[in-house]
Amino acid sequence: MPDRCGPVWREEGAETGMQGMVTRMRLLQGAAALLYLGPLLAGLGGFGWSVVPVFTAIFLLWLVVIRPQDWPQQAAGWARPEAWLALLMRALVQVVLVSVCFGIGRGIGGAAGLLPAMPVGLPLGLSFAAIPLARLVWKPTVMAEMDSFLDDALQQVEGLQPPPLQRDPALALRLTAPLADLPETVPQAEIEAHFAALKQHLLPEDIYEALDARLQSPDAPRALRRTFILLATAQRCNEACRGRAAPVRALQVAGEDASLVELVARRCLTLLESDVDAWGDCPNPTALGAVAARMPPRAAEAIHALIVRTRDLAPLNGYDPEG
């Protein structure tokens, strides 16, 4: 029986503690409202702006009492310029808050023609009374514990993030082995699914180099050549391999295969639409024209479209392909 009741009591205790926390936070909000009510009433009562520095001092004292962990705990801490700079910045913020509340009070009083007679000590006393009330309902250690809890939670969330990938050519060769065994009729979507899985473990340049190494074999299958073309003309790979002319290498891999040449051309067009900076890595019009002369109409048409697009982008790079 005690074993069964133990968890129940713990849950009830946790629930009671949470309810107590909510109640204390509401009481703290009430004390904060009292703090802001002081300058509002001072403005409504028509007092001069000379009360603003006094309210600012009270607001700063509130911060010291509620969050003492934010202030130097020893005299040596105040010897650092950073402590005085932080104090100055917070003081400026409190001046703005007090001035806004005071100005709202004066505006309401002026618009309504209402200037209630009251001693200046009343609004000052209301704001000052908020400090001991807040201290009674809220312990500074609770705030420090909440800050520590939030810091720990943030560190745990950051710890869930995977570490940055490192160059690992040997691992790339092993993990890209299945790509070399894909059938000739493999859908493009399946190849892209392989890439999506590999990018969780490998850098794009490692995948590029691993596939390129496999293509050095004279009997490299056509499916592998097609896979390499899809990779070499992808935006993510081009961003990672900028300056290595990956699309040019893709055109070399296509060889005299008209359908693969057409694939290179159409993929390069898509690449340039999304990333004009890839222009320098794409085949130049002269090389493309030479390939188009050997291709059937469908592939030649795709290449000519790429030539036009390449020439359109050439001025952006300060290069005249006809020069």
Side-chain angles (χ1 to χ4, degrees):
M1 180 67 70
D3 292 339
R4 293 182 181 180
C5 294
V8 175
W9 281 107
R10 286 195 293 270
E11 291 175 2
E12 291 178 352
E15 183 177 355
T16 302
M18 182 61 68
Q19 290 176 350
M21 177 71 73
V22 172
T23 301
R24 288 196 297 271
M25 291 186 67
R26 288 176 178 172
L27 291 174
L28 180 63
Q29 291 173 354
L34 196 63
L35 178 74
Y36 286 92
L37 181 61
L40 185 66
L41 283 179
L44 189 63
F47 296 106
W49 287 92
S50 59
V51 298
V52 169
V54 183
F55 280 111
T56 301
I58 295 175
F59 274 51
L60 283 173
L61 184 58
W62 164 281
L63 293 179
V64 173
V65 172
I66 297 300
R67 299 187 62 90
Q69 69 273 15
D70 293 347
W71 304 85
Q73 303 298 309
Q74 298 178 354
W78 288 105
R80 297 180 301 173
E82 297 84 357
W84 290 101
L85 179 61
L87 175 62
L88 176 61
M89 297 303 296
R90 290 179 180 178
L92 291 175
V93 172
Q94 303 314 307
V95 169
V96 172
L97 292 175
V98 170
S99 299
V100 169
C101 293
F102 187 76
I104 291 175
R106 288 183 68 110
I108 294 175
L114 178 64
L115 294 175
M118 68 179 77
V120 68
L122 176 60
L124 289 174
L126 286 176
S127 288
F128 187 82
I131 297 175
L133 287 176
R135 184 62 182 83
L136 287 174
V137 302
W138 191 263
K139 295 180 180 180
T141 54
V142 175
M143 187 70 73
E145 290 173 359
M146 290 182 65
D147 290 343
S148 177
F149 172 77
L150 293 175
D151 290 341
D152 292 341
L154 180 61
Q155 291 177 1
Q156 292 178 7
V157 171
E158 292 176 347
L160 296 176
Q161 300 296 326
L165 297 175
Q166 303 294 327
R167 294 295 305 270
D168 195 340
L171 178 63
L173 281 173
R174 293 198 303 272
L175 294 184
T176 56
L179 293 175
D181 300 326
L182 292 175
E184 177 72 23
T185 57
V186 59
Q188 180 174 326
E190 183 175 337
I191 297 175
E192 292 175 347
H194 277 281
F195 290 152
L198 288 174
K199 75 177 183 181
Q200 305 298 323
H201 309 281
L202 299 172
L203 292 171
E205 53 265 43
D206 281 345
I207 304 175
Y208 175 86
E209 292 176 359
L211 292 183
D212 193 24
R214 294 182 182 280
L215 287 170
Q216 303 304 317
S217 172
D219 57 346
R222 184 176 183 276
L224 180 60
R225 293 160 59 200
R226 176 167 165 246
T227 299
F228 178 84
I229 290 171
L230 292 176
L231 175 70
T233 54
Q235 182 176 353
R236 184 168 182 266
C237 178
N238 272 267
E239 291 175 350
C241 301
R242 189 75 79 209
R244 301 179 63 173
V248 173
R249 176 60 181 149
L251 187 61
Q252 295 172 350
V253 168
E256 298 300 317
D257 189 315
S259 62
L260 292 183
V261 170
E262 180 184 354
L263 177 63
V264 172
R266 298 194 184 282
R267 293 276 296 183
C268 283
L269 280 170
T270 302
L271 174 63
L272 291 174
E273 289 300 322
S274 58
D275 183 9
V276 294
D277 291 334
W279 177 89
D281 284 349
C282 287
N284 61 63
T286 302
L288 290 172
V291 174
R294 306 192 302 268
M295 291 292 114
R298 183 183 175 89
E301 180 182 356
I303 294 175
H304 284 303
L306 179 58
I307 291 174
V308 172
R309 184 58 178 156
T310 301
R311 286 175 173 164
D312 288 342
L313 294 177
L316 297 179
N317 296 268
Y319 171 75
D320 182 4
E322 299 294 342

